[in-house]
C-alpha cells in the first residue's frame, strides 16, 4: 500500500488552516499546519513534507521571502503560494521565486485540490531565478477573477520564453501585457520594440520588420535596420497582427520556422534572437476562414493565447482603475480628485466601448474640468451622456449590436401596437440582419463567394441561394 503524502500548511488564519486541513485529510493526505514561517522552515529543514501550501503574509516572515531558501535546501519540494494581496506583482514574485502555483484568496477548494494533485505528480522543472526588489509600479490593474487568471498566466510566462498571442478589444491594454512579459521576463535587459501593422503602408512592412540593403528599392540610399535586428536579445511586439499583408505573413512564418531572416535585397541570413508577442483585436480564426490570414502562421504565433476581457466583463475592477487613473492625472499636474460611491456605481453601469482607455480619458477630463475635489454621480453622468444612447432612440458608439437590435425592435413594435398585428416578425428581422451581413462578407472577400461562404460558415450553395433570395448583386473585385 502506498504511503500517504504529507502536506505542510502555513497560514496565520486559523479558519483557513482548519478548512485546508480538513479538505486535504479527506482527500487522503497527511497534513501538518502552522501559523508561523519559522515553524514551516524548521519542518522543511528537517526533511518533512512532500508539498508546501503557504500564505504570503505571516507574523514572523513573508512567505515569498522564505521561498528562495526552501528552493535552495530542497529544490524538488513544490510550494503553492496563497495570498489575499491579489496583485500582479504578487503573482510575478511567486513565479520568479520558484512557486509551483499562485492562488489568490478567496479560492475554490476544488481548485486547490487539483493544484495539489498536479504538484505531486508533475515532474520537477528548472528552478526560477530569485527576483529581489519590489517593482516600482504595477503594470496591470484589477482584482477580478478574470484579471487574476491573467496575472497567473503572465507570471508563469515570465520564467519561460514562449511566443504569446494577446487578443482583446481596442483599449483593453494589450501592449501592457506585452510590456509586462518583457519587463518581468528573462529578456528584460534587452530592448522592447513595438510595431503596429495597421499603421505601416503594406509595401513597407517587410522593410520595417527585416530591414533593407542599400539600393534594394527606390529611395533606399543607405542600409536600413529592421525591427527584428533592433529587438535582438529582447522582445518584439507585433501589434494588430491581423492587418499584416499576405506576403509579409509568409516571410514572418519562415522566420519563426527557421529562426533566421534576410534583409530586403540581402543574402546573408541573420539569426532572429527575439521573443515575439503578437496582439490583435480581430477574430483571426474568421480571417483564416476568409483566406485573409495564414493558418500555419496563426498556430506558430498562438503558442500561449491570452484573452483580455473588455471592461464591461470586469466591472468590479472599475473603482480600482478609476482611482489609479486619477492618481496618474494628479502625477501629471492635474488637481487631486476623488469619486463618491454613487459616482463609482454610475461608472459601473456604463458600457465602456473604449474600455480602460476610455475610462482613463474620462478621469483626466473630470480632473481637469470640475473644481470640486469630490466628483459626484451628476458630474459623471453629464460626461457620459454624450457616449450613451439618448431618449430619442439615436444610436451611439457605446451601443452593442444586441442593444441596437433591441432598440429598433422596441420602436418597430411600439409603432404597430395599435394597428394591424405583426406577422412573420422572426423572418423579417433575420432578413434585415442577413442582408448587410452578406454584403459586408462579400466586400471583405472582394466578391469571392467561396471565401465569403467560409467566412460566414455557410455552404457555398447555401450562400448562393441566400444571395438570390435577397436579390443581392455579386461583383468581383469589391473593395
Amino acid at each position: 500500500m502506498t504511503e500517504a503524502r504529507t502536506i505542510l500548511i502555513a497560514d496565520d488564519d486559523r479558519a483557513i488552516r482548519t478548512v485546508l486541513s480538513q479538505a486535504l485529510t479527506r482527500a487522503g493526505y497527511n497534513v501538518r499546519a502552522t501559523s508561523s514561517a519559522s515553524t514551516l522552515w524548521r519542518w522543511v529543514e528537517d526533511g518533512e513534507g512532500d508539498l508546501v501550501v503557504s500564505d504570503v503574509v505571516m507574523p514572523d516572515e513573508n512567505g515569498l521571502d522564505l521561498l528562495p531558501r526552501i528552493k535552495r535546501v530542497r529544490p524538488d519540494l513544490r510550494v503553492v503560494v496563497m495570498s489575499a494581496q491579489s496583485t500582479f506583482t504578487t503573482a510575478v514574485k511567486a513565479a520568479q521565486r520558484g512557486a509551483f502555483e499562485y492562488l489568490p484568496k478567496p479560492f475554490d477548494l476544488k481548485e486547490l485540490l487539483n493544484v495539489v494533485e498536479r504538484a505531486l505528480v508533475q515532474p520537477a522543472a528548472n528552478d526560477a531565478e530569485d527576483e529581489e526588489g519590489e517593482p516600482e509600479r504595477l503594470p496591470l490593474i484589477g482584482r477580478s477573477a478574470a484579471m487574476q487568471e491573467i496575472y497567473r498566466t503572465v507570471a508563469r510566462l515570465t520564467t519561460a520564453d514562449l511566443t504569446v498571442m494577446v487578443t482583446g478589444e481596442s483599449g483593453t491594454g494589450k501592449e501592457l501585457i506585452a510590456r509586462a512579459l518583457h519587463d518581468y521576463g528573462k529578456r528584460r535587459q534587452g530592448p522592447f520594440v513595438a510595431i503596429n501593422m495597421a499603421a505601416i503602408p503594406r509595401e513597407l512592412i517587410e522593410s520595417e520588420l527585416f530591414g533593407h540593403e542599400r539600393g534594394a528599392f527606390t529611395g533606399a540610399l543607405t542600409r536600413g535596420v529592421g525591427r527584428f535586428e533592433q529587438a535582438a536579445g529582447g522582445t518584439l511586439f507585433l501589434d494588430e497582427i491581423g492587418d499584416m499583408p499576405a506576403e509579409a505573413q509568409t516571410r514572418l512564418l519562415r522566420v519563426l520556422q527557421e529562426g533566421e531572416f534576410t534583409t530586403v535585397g540581402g543574402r546573408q541570413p541573420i539569426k532572429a534572437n527575439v521573443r515575439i508577442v503578437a496582439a490583435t483585436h480581430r477574430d483571426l480564426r474568421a480571417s483564416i476562414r476568409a483566406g485573409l490570414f495564414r493558418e500555419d502562421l496563426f498556430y506558430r504565433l498562438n503558442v500561449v493565447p491570452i484573452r483580455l476581457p473588455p471592461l464591461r466583463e470586469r466591472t468590479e475592477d472599475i473603482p480600482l482603475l478609476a482611482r489609479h487613473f486619477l492618481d496618474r492625472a494628479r502625477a501629471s499636474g492635474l488637481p487631486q480628485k476623488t469619486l463618491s460611491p454613487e459616482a463609482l456605481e454610475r461608472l459601473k453601469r456604463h458600457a465602456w466601448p473604449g474600455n480602460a482607455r476610455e475610462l482613463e480619458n474620462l478621469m483626466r477630463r473630470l480632473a481637469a474640468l470640475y473644481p470640486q475635489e469630490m466628483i459626484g454621480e451628476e458630474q459623471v453622468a453629464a460626461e457620459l451622456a454624450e457616449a450613451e444612447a439618448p431618449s430619442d432612440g439615436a444610436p451611439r458608439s457605446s451601443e452593442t449590436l444586441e442593444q441596437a437590435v433591441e432598440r429598433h425592435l422596441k420602436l418597430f413594435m411600439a409603432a404597430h401596437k395599435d394597428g394591424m398585428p405583426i406577422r412573420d416578425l422572426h423572418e423579417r428581422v433575420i432578413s434585415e440582419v442577413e442582408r448587410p451581413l452578406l454584403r459586408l462578407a462579400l466586400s471583405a472577400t472582394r466578391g469571392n463567394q467561396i471565401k465569403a461562404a467560409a467566412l460566414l460558415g455557410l455552404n457555398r450553395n447555401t450562400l448562393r441561394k441566400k444571395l438570390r433570395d435577397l436579390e443581392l448583386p455579386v461583383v468581383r473585385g469589391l473593395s
Side-chain angles (χ1 to χ4, degrees):
M1 182 176 177
T2 305
E3 185 178 350
R5 314 293 288 276
T6 299
I7 314 296
L8 306 180
I9 298 173
D11 197 302
D12 62 346
D13 188 319
R14 182 192 297 270
I16 290 180
R17 293 199 306 274
T18 300
V19 169
L20 291 182
S21 296
Q22 291 176 351
L24 290 167
T25 300
R26 284 196 301 269
Y29 300 106
N30 294 323
V31 178
R32 298 196 69 181
T34 179
S35 61
S36 69
S38 58
T39 302
L40 173 63
W41 174 242
R42 187 176 70 251
W43 290 342
V44 170
E45 275 196 311
D46 291 344
E48 297 186 37
D50 300 292
L51 177 71
V52 172
V53 179
S54 174
D55 191 19
V56 170
V57 179
M58 287 182 281
D60 51 344
E61 187 175 2
N62 186 295
L64 291 178
D65 293 337
L66 185 59
L67 249 173
R69 286 160 48 202
I70 293 176
K71 301 304 290 183
R72 277 195 293 270
V73 298
R74 294 180 62 184
D76 295 331
L77 180 64
R78 294 279 175 74
V79 180
V80 176
V81 171
M82 309 175 293
S83 177
Q85 296 178 328
S86 47
T87 66
F88 175 68
T89 302
T90 308
V92 168
K93 275 197 162 187
Q96 292 184 332
R97 296 187 177 195
F100 175 78
E101 185 61 277
Y102 159 76
L103 292 175
K105 294 179 180 179
F107 50 81
D108 185 85
L109 272 178
K110 185 181 294 185
E111 181 182 15
L112 181 130
L113 290 173
N114 288 336
V115 169
V116 167
E117 183 178 357
R118 283 195 292 111
L120 291 171
V121 300
Q122 285 186 9
N126 293 332
D127 295 338
E129 60 184 270
D130 182 13
E131 180 67 16
E132 297 295 338
E134 188 73 23
E136 294 181 357
R137 60 184 177 84
L138 294 179
L140 303 171
I141 302 293
R143 296 193 176 185
S144 62
M147 290 306 294
Q148 290 302 319
E149 185 58 38
I150 288 172
Y151 293 168
R152 292 164 64 184
T153 301
V154 173
R156 294 187 198 107
L157 291 171
T158 59
T159 61
D161 208 18
L162 299 173
T163 301
V164 179
M165 172 72 79
V166 187
T167 58
E169 296 177 6
S170 178
T172 49
K174 296 186 288 295
E175 185 167 349
L176 288 178
I177 293 290
R179 287 191 175 274
L181 287 167
H182 174 77
D183 292 344
Y184 294 86
K186 293 181 175 181
R187 293 176 173 265
R188 56 187 173 274
Q189 301 302 325
F192 176 88
V193 177
I195 179 171
N196 188 324
M197 297 299 166
I200 299 173
R202 297 170 65 91
E203 63 274 11
L204 295 180
I205 283 186
E206 289 190 65
S207 174
E208 285 286 333
L209 280 174
F210 309 113
H212 61 264
E213 298 300 320
R214 179 182 178 184
F217 51 82
T218 303
L221 303 179
T222 60
R223 185 182 187 276
V225 178
R227 304 302 174 90
F228 267 90
E229 282 189 82
Q230 294 172 12
T235 302
L236 179 60
F237 176 48
L238 303 176
D239 199 8
E240 298 304 346
I241 191 72
D243 292 283
M244 177 180 265
E247 56 274 17
Q249 291 180 35
T250 301
R251 287 204 63 180
L252 177 59
L253 176 64
R254 192 176 303 123
V255 174
L256 296 178
Q257 289 174 334
E258 300 174 3
E260 59 183 29
F261 63 95
T262 56
T263 60
V264 176
R267 296 183 179 180
Q268 186 67 31
I270 301 171
K271 184 174 176 58
N273 179 23
V274 299
R275 181 197 198 160
I276 290 182
V277 179
T280 183
H281 71 282
R282 299 187 183 280
D283 181 350
L284 289 185
R285 295 184 188 275
S287 297
I288 291 169
R289 291 193 296 270
L292 303 175
F293 199 84
R294 293 187 61 128
E295 185 174 21
D296 43 7
L297 176 59
F298 171 78
Y299 287 114
R300 282 282 180 175
L301 293 171
N302 200 51
V303 177
V304 181
I306 296 178
R307 176 188 175 267
L308 276 179
L311 194 53
R312 62 182 175 274
E313 292 183 10
R314 55 181 189 112
T315 54
E316 62 268 45
D317 288 336
I318 288 176
L320 191 63
L321 282 164
R323 285 192 288 270
H324 170 71
F325 291 140
L326 286 175
D327 289 342
R328 286 180 60 171
R330 182 189 178 195
S332 67
L334 292 172
Q336 180 177 357
K337 304 292 179 183
T338 56
L339 295 167
S340 70
E342 296 77 16
L344 290 172
E345 287 303 314
R346 181 64 184 84
L347 290 175
K348 289 182 179 180
R349 296 197 299 271
H350 183 54
W352 301 110
N355 293 293
R357 186 182 297 130
E358 181 187 359
L359 177 60
E360 180 174 16
N361 291 340
L362 175 62
M363 293 302 102
R364 294 185 68 85
R365 198 158 65 247
L366 290 171
L369 298 181
Y370 291 88
Q372 61 267 47
E373 182 178 339
M374 174 71 75
I375 302 295
E377 181 181 9
E378 182 180 352
Q379 291 77 38
V380 169
E383 290 300 320
L384 291 176
E386 288 298 315
E388 296 176 338
S391 58
D392 61 4
R396 294 294 185 184
S397 61
S398 63
E399 199 171 41
T400 65
L401 176 61
E402 181 180 354
Q403 292 168 335
V405 171
E406 183 176 1
R407 177 171 54 79
H408 280 289
L409 285 174
K410 284 180 179 177
L411 292 173
F412 179 80
M413 297 177 81
H416 289 77
K417 66 181 179 181
D418 296 327
M420 295 293 290
I422 304 171
R423 296 183 183 275
D424 301 323
L425 182 59
H426 180 268
E427 184 177 345
R428 292 174 64 176
V429 171
I430 295 301
S431 65
E432 287 292 321
V433 173
E434 213 170 24
R435 190 181 301 274
L437 176 61
L438 296 185
R439 271 201 302 261
L440 290 170
L442 288 168
S443 176
T445 58
R446 300 180 179 273
N448 187 312
Q449 292 185 45
I450 297 177
K451 291 183 177 180
L455 175 63
L456 294 164
L458 296 175
N459 178 276
R460 184 183 178 186
N461 292 331
T462 302
L463 174 61
R464 284 179 170 174
K465 183 178 185 303
K466 288 180 178 293
L467 294 173
R468 285 197 302 269
D469 293 345
L470 295 171
E471 299 181 348
L472 287 174
V474 178
V475 181
R476 295 284 298 186
L478 289 172
S479 59

